[in-house]
Amino acid sequence: MARQMTGAEMVVQALIDQGVDTIFGYPGGAALPIYDELFQQDKIKHILVRHEQGAAHAAEGYARSTGKPGVVLVTSGPGATNTVTGLTDALLDSIPIVVITAQVPTFMIGTDAFQEADTVGITRPCTKHNYLVKDTDVLAGVMHEAFHVATTGRPGPVLIDIPKDVQFAKGSYVEKNKAPTGHYAPKLKGDIDQITALAALMETAKRPIIYSGGGVINSGDSATALLRELAKETNFPVTSTLMGLGAYPASGGQWLGMLGMHGLYEANMAMHDCDLMINIGSRFDDRITGRIDAFSPKSKKAHIDIDPSSINKVIHVDVPIIGDVAHVLEDLLRVWKSRGRKTHGEGLAKWWKQIEEWRAIRCLDYKNTEKVIKPQYALQRLEALTKDRKDRYITTEVGQHQMWAAQYLGFEDPNRWMTSGGLGTMGYGLPASLGVQVAHPDALVINVAGEASWLMNMQEMGTARQYNLPVKQFILNNERLGMVRQWQDLLHGNRYSHSWSEALPDFMLLAQAFGAKGITVSDPSDVDDAIMEMLKFDGPVVFDCLVEKHENCFPMIPSGAPHNEMLLGDAGVADAIGSTGAVLV
Amino acid sequence: MSPLKIKKGTSRKSAYDLKDPHADVSERHTLACIVTNEAGVLARVIGLFSGRGYNIESLTVAEIDHEGHRSRITVVTSGTPEVIQQIKAQLGRMVPVHDVHDLTEEGPAVERELALFKVAGSGDKRIEAIRLAEIFRANVVDSTLKSFVFEMTGTSEKIDAFADLMRPLGLVEVARTGVAALSRGEV
């Protein structure tokens, strides 16, 4: 006889059975039965956020830094609609989160009841899957299936909408191992003929490149280990997308740095000139490809992806391999080794020589000054003073600071870098840093932020204070929407239409108001001491770093340009002019 | 899989301005999706088409297996070969979608539509309408002294042709079910 319990009890029981220890949420009328159950147990810790969007991003941070699904609990209507940005963010970045939304009672659905919204209708296009549960007997099965769907295949957000009467009613609890999850089972093993075809291409490639993405990190630690083994065994250069940073260590000799619109010169040039591109768990995003008709014109392209719809969506590939990164890489290495571990030694040597020439451009150089803090300098100092911390986790907001963080901070391990890549959600970083800190209480968690993004969800400092989460908010304050201003510089004749704030808060006072420590720094010679003060403080810190207001983020592939037409910063211009195909500003 | 051949120079400024070089080589495909018959499944499939800008020329949905909670959604769509391939991949990865069959690609298939035509008129036009209905093997399912309702099953082209003929004869209204399709042969 199945256990009888109320819908609200089932929600909590299913979460426990799924191994959930932490959820992020905000109560409200329709969610009260579930909150009442939470009150009467101590296995699940509930983090009360200050806005439901914060809950969704915190769950994303939790998920990305642990590899486990993040869980959100909110009420009906506005509670649900406030999670929409977080759901879309998780969908675009393939982050597994399960969002439980309460709903008005079934008999009131469709009556425009108080705090009623068509949650499944609204969230259908921004979830991997969603459910409206109208019968308590199926609730437990749906809960288990939701976790299965969120974490299997290409991960993503799943939403469960539960009307209040379903929470109150009694029904039969379905155990985790009896839940109906069978029909959703994406293929893990790649086609062996295609894998063999890729192994053959690897043997003859003179200018190969490994282009890895967030899929490697989603696939798990074994995928990261296999990627590193593949790189080591073949001596192929490795670049990665924004989402894939850390899968291959930044200190690794074959690391070319991030590629794409604000990627490194050597990475983009190598992508453009390669003769074999091995895309591992990335999706040819438009920030990566630039102008697609001029994207890597001389290469054979292989693409490993668990999502069949990613294959040939944007770029036609010669060797499509649908499967899980870890499974495919394991087979690929086995096949390649059994064929004699061959690579084109002479070609590779020439290729590396070419890459060294590109590296010599030193595309990340910038003109430093003693008068004002350059944002790049602030990040270089942050890197220098924190890179030895094995437990360092970085989140970011969205904009120039995000790209500089990706360029100037080095990641040695996966799951240490949480950023909003696909959706580009300003306001992601602060709540995400809370999610990371909750999952790793003793770790050093830094949110590299711009002041404009940070203000979008700054209310979450209240959450940081309530749970004593010692997150460090490292704000590069240029009093501008830096990236918007940069595009206005490049494309709109320096007409800075609404891209600066004339009434910024005093961040020191703001920090105090939230019970956090505030630090302000404006002199480059004080940066080190200020960062050390931030690191030493045991509690949340708002670090207001007043930086150069008109700094632009380089290198940059202008929108619609190919990889070999990068704009470099001032410092690189002199050296780079002679280089093949480079058009410099 | 045909290679994506994008002409040089199709983009000048921004990737967002890229013109689709295959815009003129559109193909018509009939897709059959077997889905779990659950609330919202049709909205999910339609939302995919509208959200990603795909065409729907015809759509037919009905439960086909009550015990197994299965419905069959038959969609006639059009697009370049790449778009058709993408539609199938996007459909295939949806959680309630069990199977996607491209009946146009997988081999010969029968496609049928049912249509009802209301034709009003008198005299020669009325006689001509019933004569043509016989030729097209349409059934009269309702009749008054001044009107007929014809019922006809056939391919979409046959129904189009009949509608064209009825128009000058007093066609008042047409109701069509959309295409239902099955592959020919044993399996």
Side-chain angles (χ1 to χ4, degrees):
Chain A
M1 176 76 186
R3 284 187 280 171
Q4 296 295 303
M5 53 179 89
T6 67
E9 286 174 311
M10 280 183 192
V11 170
V12 173
Q13 187 60 51
L15 291 177
I16 292 168
D17 289 353
Q18 287 291 340
V20 175
D21 51 20
T22 308
I23 66 175
F24 303 88
Y26 202 97
L32 285 176
I34 300 173
Y35 269 91
D36 200 35
E37 285 305 321
L38 283 174
F39 189 82
Q40 300 174 52
Q41 57 84 47
D42 55 8
K43 292 195 172 112
I44 296 171
K45 186 178 181 188
H46 178 276
I47 305 291
L48 176 70
V49 294
R50 298 300 183 266
H51 184 291
E52 290 88 349
Q53 185 188 351
H57 294 322
E60 286 186 89
Y62 180 93
R64 192 61 168 172
S65 67
T66 59
K68 297 195 292 182
V71 181
V72 173
L73 172 62
V74 296
T75 193
S76 63
T81 57
N82 280 343
T83 66
V84 165
T85 303
L87 289 166
T88 314
D89 194 272
L91 184 72
L92 284 190
D93 285 346
S94 307
I95 309 295
I97 61 171
V98 174
V99 175
I100 299 163
T101 57
Q103 182 56 277
V104 301
T106 49
F107 52 84
M108 291 179 79
I109 288 177
T111 64
D112 297 328
F114 178 64
Q115 294 195 329
E116 182 187 355
D118 176 10
T119 303
V120 286
I122 290 166
T123 61
R124 204 173 278 131
C126 62
T127 51
K128 183 176 174 187
H129 196 52
N130 63 14
Y131 305 85
L132 169 61
V133 182
K134 287 181 168 174
D135 177 0
T136 308
D137 276 327
V138 301
L139 176 57
V142 166
M143 289 285 298
H144 296 311
E145 186 179 299
F147 277 88
H148 172 75
V149 169
T151 54
T152 314
R154 181 177 178 175
V158 176
L159 180 141
I160 311 164
D161 200 28
I162 312 174
K164 195 172 184 181
D165 56 333
V166 174
Q167 299 171 33
F168 273 126
K170 283 209 166 196
S172 306
Y173 184 76
V174 179
E175 303 294 335
K176 185 184 167 190
N177 54 4
K178 290 183 184 144
T181 53
H183 78 277
Y184 182 74
K187 200 172 130 212
L188 297 176
K189 293 288 253 185
D191 182 87
I192 200 71
D193 292 342
Q194 297 287 6
I195 290 171
T196 309
L198 173 54
L201 287 173
M202 284 162 53
E203 291 165 358
T204 55
K206 291 178 186 157
R207 300 185 307 279
I209 188 166
I210 295 171
Y211 148 44
S212 81
V216 179
I217 294 170
N218 277 336
S219 179
D221 289 345
S222 58
T224 303
L226 286 160
L227 172 75
R228 292 174 182 206
E229 189 189 342
L230 178 73
K232 187 164 172 258
E233 294 283 332
T234 57
N235 194 32
F236 289 178
V238 184
T239 181
S240 142
T241 65
L242 183 73
M243 298 309 295
L245 296 177
Y248 185 81
S251 60
Q254 289 148 256
W255 177 238
L256 302 188
M258 181 177 77
L259 82 157
M261 184 172 272
H262 291 288
L264 271 64
Y265 183 73
E266 49 268 41
N268 285 330
M269 290 302 284
M271 284 289 278
H272 188 267
D273 284 0
C274 68
D275 67 353
L276 173 64
M277 179 187 296
I278 308 173
N279 173 347
I280 307 176
S282 181
R283 62 184 175 90
F284 294 111
D285 178 90
D286 58 78
R287 301 290 100 167
I288 297 304
T289 60
R291 178 169 152 179
I292 57 172
D293 61 346
F295 176 70
S296 193
K298 296 164 231 167
S299 61
K300 291 267 182 200
K301 299 174 186 73
H303 187 181
I304 302 166
D305 203 304
I306 200 162
D307 179 359
S309 76
S310 284
I311 307 272
N312 288 342
K313 181 169 68 177
V314 181
I315 298 292
H316 173 76
V317 293
D318 305 281
V319 185
I321 303 172
I322 297 167
D324 171 61
V325 168
H327 285 81
V328 173
L329 288 187
E330 197 182 353
D331 285 346
L332 177 65
L333 275 163
R334 188 171 46 74
V335 170
W336 177 76
K337 283 176 184 170
S338 72
R339 289 168 58 104
R341 299 166 179 258
K342 292 191 285 278
T343 56
H344 195 294
E346 195 191 329
L348 270 177
K350 271 172 81 180
W351 183 224
W352 273 111
K353 193 162 162 285
Q354 171 66 71
I355 290 170
E356 288 308 330
E357 284 173 25
W358 289 327
R359 277 178 169 166
I361 303 286
R362 301 176 61 86
C363 68
L364 292 184
D365 282 0
Y366 61 94
K367 269 191 201 143
N368 207 357
T369 153
E370 286 170 7
K371 293 196 184 80
V372 60
I373 303 171
K374 289 276 187 169
Q376 300 96 322
Y377 176 73
L379 285 167
Q380 278 181 329
R381 294 320 300 157
L382 183 69
E383 170 73 356
L385 296 170
T386 61
K387 72 175 176 190
D388 294 333
R389 294 275 305 253
K390 289 271 173 242
D391 61 344
R392 184 188 74 174
Y393 292 78
I394 303 285
T395 67
T396 75
E397 304 286 347
V398 168
Q400 285 182 322
H401 68 274
Q402 177 190 27
M403 294 297 109
W404 280 317
Q407 291 169 344
Y408 290 93
L409 304 181
F411 297 93
E412 297 300 310
D413 293 298
N415 306 104
R416 295 294 196 276
W417 163 250
M418 276 56 57
T419 194
S420 172
L423 192 64
T425 309
M426 293 172 72
Y428 166 91
L430 167 49
S433 71
L434 302 180
V436 175
Q437 191 81 73
V438 167
H440 310 275
D442 300 322
L444 170 63
V445 182
I446 303 170
N447 174 31
V448 177
E451 84 290 345
S453 284
W454 192 81
L455 287 172
M456 282 201 176
N457 270 324
M458 64 150 185
Q459 77 284 348
E460 299 303 334
M461 283 308 290
T463 311
R465 180 70 272 168
Q466 179 168 343
Y467 297 95
N468 291 316
L469 302 171
V471 288
K472 313 303 181 206
Q473 304 300 318
F474 192 79
I475 302 173
L476 298 172
N477 183 352
N478 59 3
E479 301 172 17
R480 301 287 183 282
L481 311 183
M483 191 61 92
V484 172
R485 190 204 50 74
Q486 176 167 344
W487 279 57
Q488 289 170 336
D489 251 9
L490 295 171
L491 292 165
H492 298 279
N494 296 9
R495 290 182 296 280
Y496 300 133
S497 183
H498 301 275
S499 56
W500 76 94
S501 311
E502 286 187 52
L504 283 172
D506 179 325
F507 285 93
M508 289 288 276
L509 288 175
L510 192 65
Q512 284 170 29
F514 278 114
K517 181 183 177 65
I519 299 173
T520 295
V521 60
S522 56
D523 186 328
S525 60
D526 295 335
V527 168
D528 277 29
D529 287 347
I531 290 175
M532 288 314 291
E533 190 186 351
M534 173 183 88
L535 296 175
K536 278 184 191 132
F537 184 75
D538 183 20
V541 176
V542 178
F543 187 97
D544 183 20
C545 184
L546 300 165
V547 297
E548 164 72 54
K549 298 184 200 319
H550 280 247
E551 190 72 10
N552 281 340
C553 182
F554 291 115
M556 177 182 186
I557 304 175
S559 181
H563 279 168
N564 60 348
E565 291 179 17
M566 295 197 81
L567 307 179
L568 294 182
D570 311 335
V573 171
D575 295 326
I577 277 173
S579 162
T580 330
V583 176
L584 304 168
V585 172
Chain B
M1 239 178 270
S2 62
L4 191 64
K5 292 191 207 91
I6 292 177
K7 280 180 232 139
K8 281 241 167 210
T10 42
S11 77
R12 281 205 182 72
K13 287 179 83 176
S14 163
Y16 299 110
D17 300 332
L18 275 176
K19 294 272 186 304
D20 180 357
H22 291 292
D24 49 345
V25 278
S26 182
E27 293 177 0
R28 183 177 180 274
H29 281 242
T30 305
L31 309 179
C33 314
I34 310 301
V35 301
T36 305
N37 185 17
E38 62 184 22
V41 66
L42 180 60
R44 229 176 268 287
V45 170
I46 292 175
L48 170 73
F49 277 77
S50 62
R52 292 186 185 264
Y54 307 140
N55 301 314
I56 297 181
E57 294 186 358
S58 159
L59 177 73
T60 312
V61 195
E63 189 177 63
I64 51 162
D65 175 2
H66 185 70
E67 298 284 294
H69 301 288
R70 294 283 191 279
S71 287
R72 185 179 177 103
I73 300 179
T74 309
V75 190
V76 180
T77 184
S78 59
T80 64
E82 288 73 27
V83 166
I84 301 284
Q85 192 192 341
Q86 186 60 206
I87 292 173
K88 289 187 276 186
Q90 293 287 354
L91 284 170
R93 71 177 184 145
M94 298 178 96
V95 174
V97 174
H98 295 266
D99 253 324
V100 181
H101 294 287
D102 185 339
L103 296 173
T104 308
E105 199 173 88
E106 287 172 13
V110 270
E111 293 189 13
R112 289 295 180 269
E113 235 188 298
L114 185 139
L116 299 171
F117 304 84
K118 182 175 283 180
V119 181
S122 55
D124 288 349
K125 285 188 175 176
R126 183 173 163 85
I127 294 163
E128 184 62 11
I130 194 111
R131 204 180 66 82
L132 283 168
E134 272 170 34
I135 294 169
F136 274 77
R137 293 166 207 245
N139 300 319
V140 176
V141 291
D142 178 70
S143 176
T144 68
L145 292 174
K146 288 188 177 162
S147 71
F148 291 117
V149 174
F150 297 116
E151 174 205 58
M152 193 171 85
T153 308
T155 62
S156 302
E157 292 74 26
K158 182 180 168 185
I159 288 166
D160 287 343
F162 188 69
D164 286 345
L165 288 169
M166 286 301 116
R167 207 157 282 124
L169 302 178
L171 184 65
V172 177
E173 224 178 336
V174 185
R176 299 171 70 150
T177 58
V179 172
L182 278 182
S183 62
R184 290 181 187 271
E186 286 167 49
V187 280

